[in-house]
Amino acid sequence: MVVAPPGAAAQGPGAAGLGDPYFPLAGNGGYQVDHYEIALAFRPRSGRVRASVAISAVSTQALSAFNLDLRGLRVGSVTVDGAPAAFRRSGSELTVTPGVPIASGRPFQVVVAYGGRPHPVKSPDGFPTGWLPTRRGAFVASEPRGAITWFPCNDHPADKASFRFTVTVPRSRVAVANGALESVTRSRRARTYVWRAPEPVATYLATVAIDRYRLMRGSAGGIPSWTAVLHRKARHQRFVLRPTARVLARFGSYFGAYPFSTTGGISVDGFDGVALETQTRPIYGTGFKRIIVVHELAHQWFGDAVSVRSWQDIWLNEGFATWSEWLWRTGGSDRGLRRIFRRLYHAPRRFKRALWRVAPGDPTPKKMFGLSVYNRGALTLEALRQLIGDPVFYAILRRWVAEHLYGNASTAEFVALAEAESGRELDRFFAIWLYQQKKPRGWQ
Ligand SMILES: [Zn+2]
């Protein structure tokens, strides 16, 4: 038989989606992104952006064409490795055909110039996500599929990349993003903020927030911190965010050291009750409470450092963050944790459907941010702790973070790790807790 030399494989277009069971068209096949370099100028009065993104990627097959994900906005031009490329839009897919096909395993750079007024999209449970306008600015909260509203990307958590954001705003505004503030350039009328996030970020965890912020630089237990609070509420918001250092230290002692080089938080105008674990710098709607801060900081380990392999695994984010709230509340005491477990396990009838009829391991897109994913997900972890005991349980959590740091992991991998670390057969336990559409029996 004849073996073709590498690169001689037939060229074809990259797939339009990664085949996620919940969002088949999310992300794209044929390449992996290493870095997004986003330059964006925002005009608060018109709500419009003028932007470009330079995407450094590596092909995983020979590509005659490939897709990016983008919804709305107007694309002005696309280049691949500096040469103009043809492009076509259809729905949320931007198909790029380079002048010369890309060989397999080759690094390449795509630059897309685009602009217009970004509009949020609805999440499957009906909430607006992505680029969200506020009275004096805008902010980004993208879970699960909002990233496509503000930059062309490979929009799936399975393709994480580093980011740099260069954001230009009028001088009355401040722009915050993920990571570290590299520089601020001041001109007579404008300010340009450069933020750099060196550790891999899932596209839905990338953010920019623009408002009349007070930006505070500090340190949380030695980790450089940037916190953006609204002027009118600065005192209260600082108060609510104050325990950040303590939360990171406490969770660090249970889960392994805080995984990122910076921390902080961003308060947004309005959006009461809304929060998102945007990497290194969670977003908080006005009126946020301390326990929300605890929840979003727990996500820095569970969701951000270790991201879902597919959206169906969402309980690995929300169940873990909810259980971490319990850990914070009880200080890890066995009695305290069992008390919370009992209260929820014997929850009033009115919660029955939402909690027991929905399987947290396969909640469907519509229920992926529902009661079951958060609370039954957390109950699953707590039941596991009660079954195998603290030493093995915490060893599992630490190994989980260490082994998948900056990457992705699935429910099946968690089950396998729990079995390996505990030396027990746990298939049935997880089948009942995660996939059965009725209440697990025999617990107290
Ligand atoms: Zn959460």
Side-chain angles (χ1 to χ4, degrees):
M1 91 189 209
V2 178
V3 179
Q11 289 149 8
L18 285 171
D20 185 284
Y22 285 7
F23 307 102
L25 285 178
N28 305 286
Y31 65 93
Q32 284 268 329
V33 177
D34 284 334
H35 181 73
Y36 292 97
E37 185 83 32
I38 298 175
L40 184 146
F42 176 65
R43 297 202 167 164
R45 209 165 281 167
S46 66
R48 298 177 81 84
V49 302
R50 218 171 71 201
S52 73
V53 60
I55 303 170
S56 304
V58 177
S59 55
T60 55
Q61 66 173 77
L63 288 169
S64 58
F66 60 89
N67 279 18
L68 294 167
D69 302 315
L70 179 69
R71 181 145 196 105
L73 300 170
R74 204 183 70 80
V75 174
S77 67
V78 180
T79 65
V80 175
D81 291 332
F87 62 92
R88 179 163 47 82
R89 315 259 329 245
S90 172
S92 303
E93 299 293 331
L94 166 63
T95 303
V96 177
T97 307
V100 183
I102 300 164
S104 182
R106 222 199 77 191
F108 64 101
Q109 196 185 53
V110 196
V111 177
V112 181
Y114 64 100
R117 191 186 310 181
H119 288 286
V121 289
K122 274 199 173 154
S123 70
D125 53 352
F127 288 99
T129 63
W131 184 276
L132 297 159
T134 58
R135 277 181 296 178
R136 298 180 183 84
F139 72 99
V140 172
S142 293
E143 194 175 25
R145 291 231 53 212
I148 59 174
T149 67
W150 71 291
F151 69 104
C153 55
N154 194 25
D155 189 30
H156 193 276
D159 192 1
K160 296 158 78 165
S162 57
F163 278 74
R164 200 154 77 138
F165 311 86
T166 301
V167 187
T168 301
V169 291
R171 56 181 253 186
S172 58
R173 303 299 198 275
V174 171
V176 198
N178 313 83
L181 180 60
E182 274 194 345
S183 66
V184 185
T185 312
R186 297 176 165 83
S187 73
R188 206 163 60 82
R189 307 177 75 160
R191 299 281 182 271
T192 297
Y193 292 81
V194 180
W195 294 89
R196 194 171 74 89
E199 299 100 4
V201 186
T203 47
Y204 79 95
L205 296 170
T207 194
V208 163
I210 298 157
D211 209 308
R212 291 192 174 146
Y213 279 129
R214 183 180 297 176
L215 182 61
M216 297 175 308
R217 168 75 210 264
S219 158
I223 299 151
S225 154
W226 282 269
T227 301
V229 294
L230 297 162
H231 271 283
R232 288 171 291 117
K233 306 187 178 207
R235 260 175 81 109
H236 174 69
Q237 294 181 340
R238 284 175 78 156
F239 172 75
V240 176
L241 284 162
R242 194 165 298 155
T244 294
R246 244 176 25 210
V247 177
L248 296 186
R250 171 88 66 82
F251 284 165
S253 74
Y254 286 106
F255 311 146
Y258 174 70
F260 302 116
S261 51
T262 61
T263 182
I266 303 170
S267 166
V268 296
D269 193 10
F271 295 84
D272 207 349
V274 167
L276 183 63
E277 62 270 25
T278 39
Q279 192 157 306
T280 66
R281 202 145 297 126
I283 291 276
Y284 302 107
T286 38
F288 62 97
K289 299 191 171 56
R290 220 164 243 187
I291 198 66
I292 305 294
V293 175
V294 170
H295 179 102
E296 305 311 332
L297 291 177
H299 273 307
Q300 301 305 308
W301 284 263
F302 306 115
D304 294 18
V306 181
S307 302
V308 293
R309 204 175 284 291
S310 96
W311 282 112
Q312 189 187 321
D313 299 323
I314 187 68
W315 83 279
L316 294 172
N317 293 6
E318 301 306 345
F320 282 51
T322 303
W323 183 85
S324 302
E325 289 177 38
W326 304 353
L327 176 67
W328 174 258
R329 279 194 166 126
T330 59
S333 105
D334 180 64
R335 261 184 62 188
L337 285 166
R338 282 176 191 269
R339 194 176 309 135
I340 296 175
F341 179 92
R342 264 199 310 276
R343 217 168 40 217
L344 255 174
Y345 185 72
H346 300 290
R349 284 182 67 86
R350 66 177 185 281
F351 295 124
K352 235 169 103 178
R353 275 192 81 83
L355 204 52
W356 306 124
R357 286 293 184 80
V358 178
D362 191 3
T364 73
K366 210 171 160 182
K367 300 265 167 72
M368 63 186 278
F369 301 107
L371 200 69
S372 173
V373 167
Y374 286 71
N375 290 288
R376 189 169 153 186
L379 285 171
T380 303
L381 270 189
E382 174 54 18
L384 179 67
R385 189 192 68 84
Q386 293 180 16
L387 188 70
I388 62 181
D390 278 0
V392 179
F393 177 76
Y394 289 111
I396 290 170
L397 294 188
R398 275 193 299 274
R399 255 184 84 180
W400 180 247
V401 175
E403 286 180 7
H404 302 289
L405 192 68
Y406 306 139
N408 301 80
S410 67
T411 301
E413 285 167 289
F414 185 73
V415 173
L417 173 62
E419 289 190 331
E421 194 69 32
S422 67
R424 281 174 187 246
E425 192 70 60
L426 294 169
D427 284 347
R428 225 180 98 73
F429 168 86
F430 282 109
I432 289 169
W433 274 99
L434 292 178
Y435 298 105
Q436 178 179 281
Q437 288 176 315
K438 60 181 196 213
K439 184 173 176 172
R441 297 277 161 224
W443 293 79
Q444 282 301 318

